[in-house]
Amino acid sequence: MKIGVLALQGAVIEHIKSLQQAGADEVVTVKRKEDLQGLDGLVLPGGESTTIGKLMNQYDLMNPIREMAQAGTPMFGTCAGLILLAGRIHGQDWVHLGIMDILVDRNSFGRQRESFETDLKVKGIEGEPYRAVFIRAPHIMEVGDQVEVLSTYQDRIVAARQGHLLGASFHPELTDDVRLHQYFLDMVRETR
Ligand SMILES: NC(=O)CC[C@H](N)C(=O)O
């Protein structure tokens, strides 16, 4: 099982470590479209979605990644990565990959709450609540019929899945809890 982490900007190393800890056989960084060869899954990390989007265009990665997603390769977007996946962005008339049937709002937890941690219940994650780190996080305002809501915080959707696409508002790579990465690796196994 070979997993790529988009490595243009943002929390890349942390995702690599979490994926390794969660049991991925091979984890590689993706900077050029050649790096997408042979991947069984792709993680889109947090950072700044506009910056990552610009770099994706510059390095000609937007279409190849979109095509991979359309062909069924599992993808996991966290925070800015979730914004990259989204089909619609509130107040913005352009999208990045635009492959997940969700409407997201950026920086949606207000100034005083720009960064915070909380315990969440996440569907599909057994046991203890999941400690979630939010950093200027987006939330999901609307989901399409094919999208399953996995977690909410204060009535806002903060994690969701649409078949082979997984998205979270928070940063699962910033804690030692790798259950969400394991969940993603299970999704990858299901599609192989
Ligand atoms: N931690 C993050 O990934 C923040 C996301 C960032 N606020 C954006 O809109 O892209």
Side-chain angles (χ1 to χ4, degrees):
M1 185 169 33
K2 184 175 169 186
I3 309 294
V5 178
L6 185 66
L8 300 174
Q9 190 249 351
V12 176
I13 306 285
E14 293 85 349
H15 267 299
I16 294 173
K17 284 187 185 149
S18 297
L19 286 162
Q20 285 167 340
Q21 218 177 309
D25 303 320
E26 192 185 351
V27 187
V28 297
T29 55
V30 172
K31 292 186 174 154
R32 300 289 182 271
K33 56 183 174 193
E34 299 76 59
D35 302 331
L36 295 168
Q37 288 288 329
L39 291 186
D40 297 306
L42 179 67
V43 171
L44 309 165
E48 189 56 42
S49 55
T50 47
T51 307
I52 300 174
K54 260 184 218 149
L55 293 169
M56 282 168 85
N57 280 324
Q58 201 170 312
Y59 294 122
D60 205 12
L61 280 164
M62 204 64 92
N63 273 326
I65 293 178
R66 194 176 288 133
E67 281 160 17
M68 267 176 81
Q70 278 156 357
T73 302
M75 297 195 182
F76 181 16
T78 63
C79 204
L82 171 74
I83 299 166
L84 296 174
L85 288 177
R88 288 177 298 145
I89 303 172
H90 183 62
Q92 206 168 283
D93 58 7
W94 48 274
V95 291
H96 308 278
L97 293 165
I99 48 182
M100 198 169 171
D101 191 10
I102 54 173
L103 168 67
V104 297
D105 187 22
R106 297 175 61 197
N107 306 322
S108 52
F109 288 95
R111 256 171 192 278
Q112 74 284 11
R113 286 198 154 271
E114 266 177 5
S115 298
F116 61 98
E117 291 186 21
T118 190
D119 288 324
L120 293 179
K121 247 202 209 141
V122 182
K123 196 172 170 195
I125 305 287
E126 305 295 328
E128 309 256 293
Y130 196 91
R131 188 78 182 155
V133 181
F134 289 77
I135 303 170
R136 298 202 311 116
H139 86 284
I140 301 170
M141 299 173 81
E142 287 170 18
V143 297
D145 296 343
Q146 306 301 310
V147 181
E148 183 185 15
V149 173
L150 299 182
S151 188
T152 59
Y153 171 68
Q154 293 181 340
D155 295 331
R156 291 173 166 199
I157 302 168
V158 292
R161 174 177 177 178
Q162 179 182 351
H164 62 293
L165 304 173
L166 177 66
S169 298
F170 49 90
H171 286 266
E173 76 287 7
L174 296 184
T175 60
D176 293 335
D177 191 343
V178 297
R179 286 177 294 169
L180 214 55
H181 287 87
Q182 281 166 345
Y183 181 97
F184 177 63
L185 295 182
D186 285 341
M187 283 171 56
V188 174
R189 281 182 201 104
E190 277 169 28
T191 55
R192 288 180 85 207

